[in-house]
Amino acid sequence: MGDGRCSNGVHHQGMTDAQLFDRQFKELVSELTEDDITDPVLTDALNRLKEVLLYNAPGGKRNRGLSVIGSLRELVPPAKLSHDDVQRAVLVGWCIEMLQAFFLVADDIMDASLTRRGQPCWYKREGIGLDAINDAFLLEGSIYRILRRHCRGQPYYVHLLELFTETSFQTELGQALDLMTAPPHKVDLNCFTMERYKAIVKYKTAFYSFYLPVAAAMYMAGIENEVEHNNAKHILLEMGEFFQIQDDYLDCYGDPAVTGKIGTDIQDNKCSWLVVTALGIMTAEQRAELEACYGRSDAVSVERVKALYDTLEMPMRYHDYEEQSYQRLLKLIECHAQNLPHAVFLNFAKKIYKRNK
């Protein structure tokens, strides 16, 4: 690998980070399925891994993965960022995308979801079914093979290992809270408190979607100071909370043709921002209506819940919240990012605020 320099998000070969990111995926798949393990008796299993990677890892918005190289560019001057540094950041970004794929493959089984990113969920494909559980494990295992092959000789290697394992555990704890709070066919609206909702969001979404990519870039830039990581975490967890509230809103009000998935939060008895917020402002009669319909999969019940949300003006309340959240985030950046480039956080914010998918 050469020592070409990069600046302004454009690779030395004239490629943008997004183009570089997409190109790297093909090499990553070849590496994992052809170069890493070469025992001929594993040919069928490695072909399966290739199929799993190609179907589940690409196809998303790539915000998490691209935020590693994007953040690193803000933290390290262009003259000090070599081609090898950029390639490692891109690969670490793909590790986050594989972590996301691992979570989503498993989550779709648990939620009995139908579509993901505009195509059938992996487990819904013919001949896959619950074998998808092991496929999810393959995705997770691939992360650590890539990290070992490309970052083992770097001073931040152990930091990255600890960051990925800790973040995975935090996300799994958040998923456990989510599943326990909203078991299928057992609706208990008393469990749907804002405190529980925020705990689920923080652990299930915010750590891996927002803190992980920036923290990885910080370690790769040589920033190990715990105070700075805590400052970044403070800002990024707030951003992650808003991101999940957006997701909850889009589950109900988004266009499936745009979002790529059919919303099922109402049918799945999910502790979402919409239901938690609605519970805080509705009348006793409206609560009785919600209890009769929430967590049911028939179309009439789902429509009655949506009609209730409309009566309570949930879209307007959401848009008000979005504006308040953005202003709160700007204040957090001002307060906590005194020694970190504000662009690290503002670039992330621009990608998510006012999004429609």
Side-chain angles (χ1 to χ4, degrees):
M1 288 182 279
D3 193 36
R5 303 291 170 178
C6 311
S7 62
N8 301 321
V10 179
H11 189 249
H12 75 293
Q13 294 174 326
M15 299 175 75
T16 65
D17 285 340
Q19 291 168 329
L20 187 64
F21 196 77
D22 290 340
R23 190 184 73 169
Q24 189 68 54
F25 181 65
K26 294 175 186 175
E27 296 176 23
L28 177 147
V29 172
S30 296
E31 187 175 339
L32 284 168
T33 60
E34 297 167 24
D35 307 334
D36 188 26
I37 299 174
T38 55
D39 189 336
V41 302
L42 288 174
T43 299
D44 288 346
L46 292 169
N47 286 339
R48 172 65 167 231
L49 172 58
K50 185 173 187 175
E51 192 182 353
V52 172
L53 285 164
L54 290 172
Y55 193 88
N56 295 289
K61 295 180 287 292
R62 304 168 304 168
N63 285 344
R64 297 168 183 83
L66 281 168
S67 291
V68 180
I69 180 57
S71 298
L72 190 65
R73 288 197 189 283
E74 299 295 344
L75 295 166
V76 178
K80 292 188 177 179
L81 206 56
S82 71
H83 169 65
D84 289 2
D85 294 330
V86 171
Q87 186 181 41
R88 278 190 287 267
V90 167
L91 284 163
V92 170
W94 271 114
C95 286
I96 296 175
E97 292 294 321
M98 288 191 290
L99 184 70
Q100 156 92 334
F102 157 55
F103 291 145
L104 294 184
V105 168
D107 189 61
D108 286 341
I109 299 170
M110 289 179 257
D111 287 349
S113 297
L114 302 174
T115 59
R116 170 72 65 182
R117 295 172 173 171
Q119 60 186 7
C121 296
W122 175 246
Y123 83 100
K124 294 296 286 183
R125 293 197 67 194
E126 190 174 349
I128 304 296
L130 293 183
D131 290 359
I133 295 169
N134 192 66
D135 295 332
F137 297 157
L138 288 174
L139 287 164
E140 185 191 29
S142 297
I143 295 164
Y144 298 99
R145 302 200 73 82
I146 290 296
L147 289 177
R148 187 175 71 172
R149 283 176 69 96
H150 292 275
C151 301
R152 197 177 191 179
Q154 301 303 313
Y156 49 75
Y157 177 55
V158 173
H159 285 301
L160 289 185
L161 290 181
E162 290 181 345
L163 183 63
F164 271 87
T165 54
E166 177 72 4
T167 304
S168 297
F169 190 55
Q170 287 166 326
T171 307
E172 288 149 10
L173 288 172
Q175 176 74 346
L177 274 184
D178 191 21
L179 295 169
M180 292 161 61
T181 306
H185 315 304
K186 186 182 175 185
V187 180
D188 182 0
L189 298 180
N190 292 320
C191 293
F192 292 173
T193 65
M194 190 58 76
E195 180 184 38
R196 173 54 68 96
Y197 174 75
K198 289 192 173 192
I200 292 169
V201 169
K202 177 180 178 180
Y203 284 91
K204 184 181 174 180
T205 301
F207 275 110
Y208 95 89
S209 297
F210 290 84
Y211 178 62
L212 173 59
V214 176
M218 288 172 69
Y219 283 128
M220 295 179 87
I223 302 170
E224 301 177 5
N225 185 297
E226 195 174 331
V227 172
E228 294 305 339
H229 276 268
N230 283 334
N231 281 333
K233 193 182 296 180
H234 207 84
I235 298 164
L236 294 159
L237 293 184
E238 170 75 24
M239 213 181 291
E241 181 180 296
F242 173 70
F243 178 83
Q244 185 58 52
I245 289 170
Q246 266 185 325
D247 242 29
D248 292 353
Y249 176 79
L250 291 171
D251 184 272
C252 182
Y253 289 101
D255 179 357
V258 177
T259 64
K261 58 185 177 181
I262 299 165
T264 58
D265 282 359
I266 294 170
Q267 299 94 310
D268 293 342
N269 186 33
K270 284 293 180 184
C271 180
S272 86
W273 181 83
L274 289 169
V275 73
V276 171
T277 304
L279 282 166
I281 56 176
M282 61 177 45
T283 65
E285 291 80 7
Q286 289 169 328
R287 186 182 174 105
E289 168 85 346
L290 185 66
E291 283 186 323
C293 301
Y294 204 74
R296 294 177 177 271
S297 56
D298 62 285
V300 173
S301 294
V302 173
E303 286 308 311
R304 283 168 69 185
V305 173
K306 289 185 177 181
L308 194 55
Y309 286 165
D310 288 340
T311 301
L312 294 167
E313 299 181 313
M314 296 310 294
M316 183 195 75
R317 293 175 190 277
Y318 166 75
H319 292 301
D320 287 347
Y321 179 89
E322 180 172 44
E323 187 55 40
Q324 292 165 14
S325 176
Y326 190 70
Q327 295 306 319
R328 190 162 58 246
L329 181 71
L330 294 179
K331 288 178 183 173
L332 282 173
I333 293 171
E334 198 64 42
C335 178
H336 290 280
Q338 293 172 359
N339 298 320
L340 294 168
H342 288 195
V344 169
F345 308 102
L346 292 173
N347 289 345
F348 227 145
K350 284 176 193 169
K351 291 177 183 175
I352 65 164
Y353 280 86
K354 307 290 185 185
R355 72 187 174 102
N356 61 1
K357 65 176 182 178

